[in-house]
């Protein structure tokens, strides 16, 4: 019988997420749960008291490191790790499989185990399934992990299969080595990125008398999308009645995605590791406290957090500690980050119990994506003497042709990289949406024309629209023009502020409007007809309070750096906000994934004009009538596109569950736009 007596408390409809609980030798545990990593029998920078007050329940210690130092004799003398480190809650111990994998040149690996030299005293050791379990018994942990053979996620099929077979044999040896010990034990699914191997491994281990099952070999070289896909696949083939643990994962967003795919337990060094580098996870995204913008800030790290760090200290103080490399800075940030993770887990659990998880997932997927980073261990470095003009995450970029633009440092992405940015803004957005003729009053009193400018950036599109208005105003009398409201959405004004400092390179900003936007968040034309306003913050949230648009200039960073703004969900939300109005969305992207997301959301999608070397762009309409009546007659995607899409390798917008893909496929295949009557 299972030693943990795992019980599922609820599984909400619309997600594979589950809330559960289990019993350990040191008390009950509620899932989903995040386990802070105490590699050397300490969570770096924290005391047992601070861990508890941050909300930690289970911690993870490492058999490999503690075998080498202080050694099993010390742990036996203390009766285990609990008394040794003064922690009375549950402990999970890792076997060392991942560590021997990380030392590829300093070990020999065969059926018996891994022979390696200690980094502490140079002595040679054999880490075998039996010796690892013996060590974990000496530690007296509540949950032991089997020794497994971890390989890179990109390993070939033959290599992955061989490692998996060894892992299976070692799993059986580990169970025998446990004997009748009351300590629970988890098996580890391997198989790299090979679907059949992963299924085989999940089925094989599910049939053995384990108390829980872990997914190993992820977060070791695969892409984020592959990680989601394989997590989804493996949880489909694991016994439902055992807790599931995704080893070494991850960022808050990774954890949310994995909970949605049916995982119950997590561990990761990120909260403490990033704290060491001055990074805080907050409800506004990930903050780098080294930045000078915090030098005078009296605000707490996160106004929505009630942890001790946020209640008692300012950003300015933490900025100072981080800059001076003081230990307290690491402690305070690490404490807050752990509190952030534990609160996230608690919120997820509550929403699962209330059957509310699917909407929690959708909402926070966007919020957490903002703070996401493909390489969490390598945040952007801020050099002391910047080679180019920089502000925050942006720098001025000058192309070979001498075109000035703005580059996002973290992603390397250049705004409007193809042709001079002003030309692109005019051709792709202003001309294509026939703005000049739409500004002309057709009836009296005239409706206000509303444009959403999503991704203000350095205000190229907004200023192109304003220039178009001013030209119309100069040519006509003002009683011939409609009132015009331009709403710009942006979460980071640094790129505009950076460009505004250099009007020589960015002549489109030689105008009062962008400066008023930076200072007051709005600007009005002297005629009173044009009102430009800034909605600062997350587009997903702020679109709720903006006027319903006629035209949308959709120009955020690409899905590579800002995936959340290119999903079917966000497009559906835009559509919902516009309906029943006939609105049009213009975007530079012509990627299949973006068009699929628009179609799945219910838009009618047409080809836009090509600019520069790009073959085409995309226009999306909320209604068919809107597409039909467009003066430029942009061609709607038809059967040819559909045929190409069915064969395409990049069919879907972002990381999706298998059932979500099926859903999207249905939406596309049954879209009115492709029906015979059209
Ligand atoms: Zn806090």
């Amino acid at each position: 019988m299972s030693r943990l007596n795992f019980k599922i408390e609820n599984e909400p409809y619309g997600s594979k997420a589950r809330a559960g609980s289990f019993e350990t030798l040191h008390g009950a545990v509620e899932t989903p749960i995040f386990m802070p990593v105490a590699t050397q029998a300490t969570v770096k920078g924290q005391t047992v008291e601070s861990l508890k007050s941050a909300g930690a329940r289970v911690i993870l210690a490492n058999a490999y490191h503690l075998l080498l130092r202080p050694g099993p004799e010390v742990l036996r003398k203390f009766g285990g790790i609990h008394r040794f480190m003064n922690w009375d809650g549950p402990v999970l111990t890792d076997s060392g499989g991942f560590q021997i994998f990380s030392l590829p040149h300093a070990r020999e690996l065969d059926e018996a185990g891994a022979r390696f030299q200690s980094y502490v005293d140079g002595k040679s050791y054999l880490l075998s399934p039996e010796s690892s379990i013996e060590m974990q018994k000496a530690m007296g942990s509540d949950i032991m992990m089997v020794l497994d053979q971890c390989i890179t996620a990109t390993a070939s099929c033959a290599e992955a299969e061989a490692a998996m077979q060894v892992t299976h044999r070692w799993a059986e040896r580990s169970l025998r080595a446990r004997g009748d010990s009351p300590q629970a034990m988890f098996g580890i699914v391997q198989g790299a990125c090979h679907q059949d191997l992963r299924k085989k491994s999940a089925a094989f281990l599910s049939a053995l008398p384990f108390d829980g099952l872990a997914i190993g070999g992820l977060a070791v070289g695969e892409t984020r999308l592959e990680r989601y896909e394989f997590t989804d696949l493996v949880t489909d083939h694991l016994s439902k009645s055992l807790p599931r643990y995704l080893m070494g994962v991850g960022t808050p967003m990774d954890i949310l995605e994995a909970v949605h795919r049916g995982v119950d337990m997590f561990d990761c060094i990120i909260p403490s590791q990033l704290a060491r580098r001055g990074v805080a996870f907050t409800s506004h995204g990930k903050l780098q406290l080294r930045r000078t913008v915090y030098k005078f800030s009296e605000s707490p790290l996160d106004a929505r957090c009630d942890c001790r760090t946020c209640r008692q200290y300012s950003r300015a103080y933490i900025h100072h500690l981080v800059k001076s490399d003081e230990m307290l800075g690491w402690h305070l940030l690490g404490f807050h980050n752990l509190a952030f993770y534990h609160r996230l887990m608690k919120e997820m659990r509550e929403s699962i119990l209330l059957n509310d998880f699917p909407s929690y997932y959708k909402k926070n997927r966007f919020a957490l994506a903002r703070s996401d980073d493909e390489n969490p261990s390598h945040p952007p470095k801020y050099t002391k003497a910047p080679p180019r003009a920089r502000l925050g995450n942006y720098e001025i970029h000058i192309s070979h042709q001498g075109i000035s633009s703005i580059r996002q440092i973290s992603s390397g992405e250049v705004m409007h990289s193809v042709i001079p940015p002003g030309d692109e803004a005019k051709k792709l957005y202003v001309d294509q949406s026939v703005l000049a003729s739409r500004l002309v009053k057709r009836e009296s009193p005239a409706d206000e024309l509303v444009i959403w400018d999503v991704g203000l950036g350095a205000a190229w599109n907004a200023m192109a629209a304003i220039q178009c208005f001013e030209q119309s105003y100069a040519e006509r009398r003002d009683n011939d023009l409609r009132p015009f409201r331009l709403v710009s959405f942006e979460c980071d004004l640094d790129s505009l502020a950076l460009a505004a400092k250099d009007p020589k390179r960015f002549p489109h900003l030689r105008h009062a409007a962008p400066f008023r936007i930076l200072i007051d968040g709005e600007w009005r034309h002297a005629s009173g007809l044009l009102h430009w306003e800034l909605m600062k913050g997350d587009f997903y949230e702020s679109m709720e309070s903006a006027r319903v648009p006629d035209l949308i200039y959709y120009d955020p960073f690409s899905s590579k750096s800002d995936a959340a703004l290119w999903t079917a969900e966000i497009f559906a939300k835009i559509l919902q906000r516009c309906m029943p109005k006939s609105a049009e969305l213009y975007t530079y992207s012509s990627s299949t994934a973006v068009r699929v997301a628009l179609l799945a959301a219910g838009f009618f999608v047409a080809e836009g004009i090509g600019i520069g070397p790009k073959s085409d762009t995309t226009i999306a309409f909320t209604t068919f009538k809107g597409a039909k009546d467009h003066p430029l007659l942009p061609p709607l995607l038809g059967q040819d596109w559909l045929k190409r899409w069915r064969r395409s390798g990049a069919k879907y917008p972002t990381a999706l569950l298998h059932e979500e893909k099926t859903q999207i496929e249905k939406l596309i295949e049954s879209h009115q736009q492709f029906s015979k009557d059209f």
Side-chain angles (χ1 to χ4, degrees):
M1 269 324 287
S2 160
R3 285 161 167 83
L4 295 178
N5 198 16
F6 178 64
K7 289 195 180 71
I8 294 180
E9 293 165 43
N10 197 32
E11 293 172 282
Y13 182 75
S15 169
K16 287 161 71 181
R18 24 197 242 162
S21 59
F22 58 80
E23 294 290 333
T24 71
L25 301 170
H26 291 83
V29 173
E30 293 180 331
T31 63
I33 188 164
F34 177 77
M35 304 178 286
V37 179
T39 306
Q40 303 279 8
T42 167
V43 174
K44 293 192 189 309
Q46 303 300 321
T47 63
V48 161
E49 289 74 26
S50 69
L51 282 175
K52 285 186 180 170
S53 110
R57 179 66 188 131
V58 184
I59 58 167
L60 181 144
N62 196 290
Y64 166 85
H65 291 285
L66 297 174
L67 169 73
L68 303 184
R69 186 171 49 201
E73 306 75 23
V74 175
L75 286 155
R76 279 198 203 99
K77 180 168 192 303
F78 276 80
I81 190 168
H82 294 84
R83 190 163 84 87
F84 181 57
M85 70 174 283
N86 185 36
W87 173 261
D88 58 6
V91 174
L92 180 148
T93 43
D94 198 359
S95 59
F98 184 76
Q99 281 68 35
I100 51 180
F101 154 77
S102 317
L103 305 166
H105 304 296
R107 54 124 166 103
E108 279 169 54
L109 202 59
D110 57 27
E111 190 66 32
R115 255 170 271 274
F116 63 95
Q117 271 200 331
S118 162
Y119 66 85
V120 176
D121 54 15
K123 275 190 203 150
S124 117
Y125 283 82
L126 170 70
L127 190 65
S128 65
E130 292 76 15
S131 72
S132 173
I133 297 306
E134 193 190 321
M135 179 60 193
Q136 294 182 70
K137 281 184 174 173
M139 294 164 82
S141 57
D142 300 81
I143 301 173
M144 303 189 280
M145 300 302 298
V146 299
L147 187 71
D148 62 333
Q149 215 183 84
C150 192
I151 50 169
T152 58
T154 50
S156 74
C157 194
E159 207 185 337
E161 170 144 32
M164 181 193 80
Q165 298 295 1
V166 173
T167 296
H168 290 175
R169 290 191 289 273
W170 285 6
E172 290 172 316
R173 280 166 60 185
S174 299
L175 277 168
R176 280 197 294 277
R178 172 173 66 167
D180 58 2
S181 158
Q183 291 168 266
M185 184 184 276
F186 282 22
I188 304 176
V189 174
Q190 289 289 353
C193 285
H194 301 279
Q195 298 201 357
D196 50 334
L197 294 182
R198 286 282 179 179
K199 285 186 205 167
K200 226 188 257 180
S201 188
F204 179 86
L205 294 167
S206 289
L208 295 177
F210 283 116
D211 309 295
L213 292 167
I215 308 173
L218 288 182
V220 287
E222 78 285 5
T223 67
R224 167 162 282 150
L225 251 64
E226 284 171 330
R227 191 179 319 150
Y228 297 162
E229 211 181 304
F230 279 90
T231 304
D232 192 29
L233 176 93
V234 173
T235 55
D236 275 344
H237 292 83
L238 290 178
S239 157
K240 273 204 142 204
S241 57
L242 295 178
R244 301 157 177 173
Y245 163 32
L246 180 54
M247 302 180 79
V249 171
T251 63
M253 192 174 92
D254 288 338
I255 291 178
L256 178 76
E257 293 287 355
V259 166
H260 179 48
R261 289 163 172 77
V263 177
D264 310 301
M265 302 167 68
F266 302 89
D267 77 281
C268 194
I269 55 172
I270 284 179
S272 321
Q273 188 190 48
L274 288 199
R276 184 82 184 97
R277 297 166 192 233
V279 174
F281 290 97
T282 75
S283 53
H284 324 281
K286 219 160 70 181
L287 306 185
Q288 170 50 265
L289 269 297
R290 282 186 181 280
R291 294 181 55 199
T292 324
V293 286
Y294 301 120
K295 189 170 179 180
F296 294 99
S297 172
E298 294 194 33
S299 313
L301 275 182
D302 185 350
R304 284 196 230 160
C305 178
D306 63 352
C307 85
R308 205 185 57 225
T309 301
C310 293
R311 282 200 320 269
Q312 299 178 343
Y313 300 95
S314 64
R315 289 178 177 181
Y317 181 60
I318 297 169
H319 166 81
H320 160 72
L321 293 177
V322 169
K323 292 288 273 191
S324 328
D325 212 14
E326 280 292 334
M327 259 186 287
L328 183 61
W330 184 11
H331 166 76
L332 293 176
L333 280 173
F335 178 77
H336 162 83
N337 284 348
L338 287 169
F340 180 91
Y341 267 66
H342 292 308
R343 191 170 53 241
L344 174 72
M345 304 313 290
K346 199 164 155 240
E347 283 176 9
M348 284 195 277
R349 179 176 156 82
E350 279 162 9
S351 73
I352 294 170
L353 290 172
L354 292 169
N355 285 317
D356 195 32
F357 182 79
S359 67
Y360 179 91
Y361 166 73
K362 275 183 188 157
K363 189 173 149 239
N364 285 280
R365 208 175 167 191
F366 292 105
L368 296 175
R370 282 239 163 279
S371 65
D372 216 331
D373 187 335
E374 284 289 341
N375 298 297
S377 55
H378 303 104
K381 292 192 174 64
Y382 295 88
T383 53
K384 277 185 181 149
R388 295 191 189 90
R390 287 181 170 197
L391 183 62
N393 192 16
Y394 302 93
E395 64 184 7
I396 291 180
H397 169 78
I398 297 154
S399 74
H400 300 310
Q401 297 89 11
I403 302 169
S404 299
S405 189
I406 299 286
R407 172 166 39 208
Q408 190 180 41
I409 298 167
S410 57
S411 67
E413 196 170 324
V414 178
M415 293 178 181
H416 302 256
S417 54
V418 178
I419 58 171
D423 293 1
E424 180 176 318
K426 184 168 183 302
K427 282 188 193 147
L428 201 163
Y429 296 102
V430 171
D431 292 352
Q432 215 180 186
S433 64
V434 287
L435 179 60
S437 85
R438 283 178 204 255
L439 283 169
V440 178
K441 197 193 279 184
R442 307 257 184 253
E443 71 274 315
S444 197
D447 265 3
E448 186 178 56
L449 178 78
V450 180
I451 296 186
W452 282 6
D453 164 44
V454 183
L456 170 67
W460 278 291
N461 300 341
M463 288 312 296
I466 288 172
Q467 269 168 24
C468 174
F469 171 87
E470 291 186 328
Q471 201 173 343
S472 303
Y473 184 76
E475 287 164 7
R476 296 165 176 274
R477 300 198 315 278
D478 56 350
N479 58 3
D480 282 345
L481 291 180
R482 287 166 75 181
F484 171 24
R485 178 181 295 263
L486 177 60
V487 189
S488 291
F489 296 86
E490 185 56 80
C491 52
D492 187 347
L493 288 175
D494 282 355
S495 57
L496 178 57
L498 176 62
K501 280 186 193 164
D502 197 349
K504 264 198 198 124
R505 293 198 182 283
F506 300 96
H508 71 292
L509 297 178
R510 286 185 207 148
H511 193 288
F515 293 89
R516 296 270 48 108
I517 280 287
L518 281 171
I519 296 162
D520 305 328
E522 64 171 346
W523 173 78
R524 280 171 211 274
H525 187 256
S527 65
L529 280 171
L530 165 57
H531 184 194
W532 183 18
E533 62 182 342
L534 172 70
M535 305 285 278
K536 193 165 183 291
D538 188 14
F539 173 58
Y540 193 77
E541 278 172 25
S542 52
M543 76 162 102
E544 294 287 359
S545 45
R547 295 269 177 99
V548 176
D550 299 271
L551 304 173
I552 303 170
Y553 295 168
Y554 205 74
D555 194 15
F557 278 106
S558 76
S559 55
K560 258 192 216 149
S561 24
D562 205 348
L565 288 176
W566 298 96
T567 60
E569 276 151 343
I570 200 151
F571 291 134
K573 186 160 165 152
I574 295 173
L575 186 84
Q576 204 182 29
R577 187 85 185 92
C578 294
M579 291 306 273
K581 196 167 175 175
S582 203
E584 298 158 22
L585 183 150
Y586 295 81
T587 184
Y588 63 89
S589 173
S590 61
S591 85
T592 305
V594 167
R595 289 175 169 181
V596 165
L598 284 162
L599 286 164
F603 278 94
F604 291 85
V605 178
E607 269 175 35
I609 54 156
I611 44 153
K614 271 197 162 183
S615 57
D616 55 4
T617 56
T618 300
I619 311 178
F621 300 87
T622 59
T623 63
F624 176 62
K625 190 176 178 307
K628 208 175 55 164
D629 294 348
H630 195 283
L632 302 182
L633 303 170
L636 283 174
L637 306 181
Q639 293 298 330
D640 287 353
W641 182 87
L642 191 62
K643 275 180 207 150
R644 277 203 308 278
W645 174 69
R646 287 183 187 130
R647 292 194 304 264
S648 161
K651 280 171 89 169
Y652 305 100
T654 47
L656 296 175
L657 288 183
H658 178 69
E659 60 190 270
E660 290 169 323
K661 287 184 184 169
T662 317
Q663 176 73 9
I664 292 227
E665 215 153 314
K666 265 190 214 150
L667 288 169
I668 304 294
E669 293 288 352
S670 64
H671 197 291
Q672 219 185 339
Q673 177 166 348
F674 302 118
S675 81
K676 296 231 158 48
D677 313 332
F678 262 62

